[in-house]
Amino acid sequence: MDLRGCRCSSLKAAGVATKESSKSRASKKIKARNFLDIVQIDVYKYDGYHYLTFVDVATGKCWVKKIIKVNVAKKNKGLYKQRLTNCYRTWESELQAIPVYYAQSNSKVERLHRTLANLSRINSTTPDKIQGLVNDTFTSGGGIKDKEREEGDDNDDDTESEDEKVPYDGRVLKEGQYVRAKVNLRSRNKQDPFWGGVAKVTERKGRKQYYIYDGNRVTLRHISHLKNYDIGEKLLEDVKVNPTVWERAMPCLGPRPKFDVEYGNNKVRVNDDWRMKIVYLGYPGLRNMERVAMKIKDGKYQLLYLAVPDLPFEHWYKVLGDLDAEGWYGHEPGGW
């Protein structure tokens, strides 16, 4: 960290890191008045790569350099140190860093890491390519500001505990409602979304706590960690077969046949005769899924195609998944 505004920096630069003037020892903070008076540097890991991050305290301007893959760095530490040194040297023309140490936390660069992760995930890019957006967003007002935390505050964990006091807006969830649960920040990768997969509310416990089921286990979650989820029934009514998608799905679904019976979305008639016929159901609709699944389980048809949402906690989903001759092809909306 370059502390050219610190009177003791000349002593520390001489290699005696523990030697400090009495004025410096008595001071709690060193304020950065000019560009590059004080900088914070750290190494940041994101999506399988190490990045060198650098923040100017006075202006909030940041730089990010990609260093090396994490797995390569583990196997070749010498190469990792060499790449790290080379990345640092690219800033020497601006920085002219002094090898000093000061026991203040890297609060600004740690908050930069969180911002880089959020923007990189939202924009499907990497921290070194998003730094321009970070600078445009946070330096236009004169630097990264945080009125609630001082520069020396090293408690930068935004993980929210289950019993933390959260303003309650009176929202109530119903049994059977679909939700997405917040993923604990300590247990997820930086590039992963904040919200987990879809789950189903099974029971209300107390005023603000609910049991949810995701297809594997039942967990108790606070309502502030849950958000409503809608699979978009009205949008699914207009879904049509995309020829490009079917072409890529041929290894799973085979070539598109000529259908003997073909239904529109949400227009399936379960009482029709499907014996020895090739049937296309489209999207049957959630209200028909259970009856459709039981009829499909009987197997009185030659070949059958249908589109269903990925809801592993539903009974009909398990019924379809247990069929002997089933073949599935998954496709994310908007992929092509």
Side-chain angles (χ1 to χ4, degrees):
M1 193 185 297
D2 184 358
L3 297 174
R4 287 182 288 182
C6 177
R7 295 185 178 90
C8 65
S9 60
S10 60
L11 298 175
K12 294 178 181 179
V16 188
T18 58
K19 201 167 186 179
E20 189 175 5
S21 67
S22 57
K23 290 184 178 180
S24 176
R25 188 179 297 109
S27 177
K28 294 182 179 180
K29 294 181 182 179
I30 300 177
K31 294 184 178 180
R33 294 180 174 84
N34 301 312
F35 183 57
L36 299 182
D37 271 353
I38 302 176
V39 301
Q40 297 180 357
I41 301 174
D42 201 358
V43 177
Y44 178 58
K45 183 172 68 174
Y46 181 86
D47 200 15
Y49 279 89
H50 285 300
Y51 295 87
L52 184 63
T53 54
F54 167 98
V55 175
D56 173 58
V57 174
T59 65
K61 186 177 181 180
C62 71
W63 292 264
V64 183
K65 294 285 185 180
K66 182 182 288 187
I67 305 174
I68 193 173
K69 285 186 175 181
V70 174
N71 56 355
V72 175
K74 290 181 179 179
K75 297 177 181 178
N76 193 334
K77 294 185 178 180
L79 179 61
Y80 170 62
K81 292 181 180 179
Q82 180 183 355
R83 293 275 185 89
L84 182 62
T85 303
N86 292 340
C87 285
Y88 182 76
R89 284 175 179 170
T90 61
W91 287 322
E92 284 187 351
S93 59
E94 296 183 70
L95 182 59
Q96 299 178 358
I98 300 172
V100 298
Y101 169 80
Y102 186 73
Q104 71 177 18
S105 68
N106 277 6
S107 57
K108 287 184 179 292
V109 77
E110 292 296 342
R111 287 196 286 273
L112 169 66
H113 292 169
R114 187 196 309 170
T115 303
L116 290 172
N118 292 341
L119 293 178
S120 297
R121 184 180 63 253
I122 292 170
N123 294 279
S124 299
T125 184
T126 55
D128 57 321
K129 296 179 181 178
I130 207 69
Q131 70 175 39
L133 179 59
V134 176
N135 286 330
D136 292 342
T137 303
F138 292 95
T139 63
S140 58
I144 300 176
K145 303 295 182 182
D146 194 334
K147 295 181 180 179
E148 296 181 357
R149 289 177 179 160
E150 295 295 335
E151 186 176 327
D153 183 12
D154 59 355
N155 185 16
D156 197 45
D157 179 24
D158 60 352
T159 304
E160 186 180 18
S161 62
E162 291 291 341
D163 56 352
E164 186 174 342
K165 292 184 178 179
V166 179
Y168 180 53
D169 57 3
R171 183 166 60 105
V172 177
L173 303 179
K174 299 179 181 179
E175 291 187 12
Q177 182 176 339
Y178 297 157
V179 295
R180 295 184 69 182
K182 182 180 178 182
V183 180
N184 190 293
L185 299 185
R186 294 186 181 276
S187 63
R188 71 173 182 87
N189 295 321
K190 300 180 182 73
Q191 66 273 14
D192 294 339
F194 277 108
W195 299 96
V198 185
K200 185 177 183 179
V201 177
T202 60
E203 184 183 352
R204 182 179 183 181
K205 181 183 179 182
R207 192 163 63 102
K208 303 179 185 178
Q209 291 183 316
Y210 293 84
Y211 286 106
I212 62 171
Y213 177 53
D214 61 2
N216 293 319
R217 59 176 183 162
V218 177
T219 55
L220 180 64
R221 301 302 301 267
H222 192 279
I223 192 170
S224 63
H225 293 178
L226 302 172
K227 72 174 183 178
N228 299 347
Y229 181 81
D230 186 358
I231 67 170
E233 283 267 271
K234 293 184 178 180
L235 293 176
L236 291 175
E237 290 180 359
D238 299 325
V239 169
K240 296 181 180 179
V241 176
N242 188 325
T244 304
V245 175
W246 194 294
E247 182 180 350
R248 298 197 181 191
M250 283 182 60
C252 297
L253 304 181
R256 183 174 179 176
K258 183 178 179 180
F259 299 111
D260 299 319
V261 179
E262 188 169 359
Y263 298 100
N265 297 321
N266 281 327
K267 295 181 180 179
V268 62
R269 295 187 296 273
V270 181
N271 295 327
D272 288 356
D273 186 8
W274 297 348
R275 285 179 293 181
M276 301 308 297
K277 294 181 180 179
I278 301 177
V279 183
Y280 177 80
L281 300 182
Y283 173 64
L286 287 179
R287 66 179 184 276
N288 298 319
M289 282 296 185
E290 191 69 29
R291 292 189 300 155
V292 168
M294 300 312 296
K295 183 171 179 104
I296 292 175
K297 185 178 179 181
D298 293 339
K300 296 179 179 179
Y301 51 86
Q302 181 179 347
L303 196 59
L304 185 141
Y305 295 84
L306 79 160
V308 298
D310 189 17
L311 304 174
F313 44 80
E314 293 287 6
H315 176 259
W316 54 260
Y317 188 95
K318 298 181 183 300
V319 171
L320 296 176
D322 291 338
L323 298 177
D324 295 332
E326 96 284 1
W328 293 100
Y329 179 74
H331 174 65
E332 289 291 335
W336 294 305

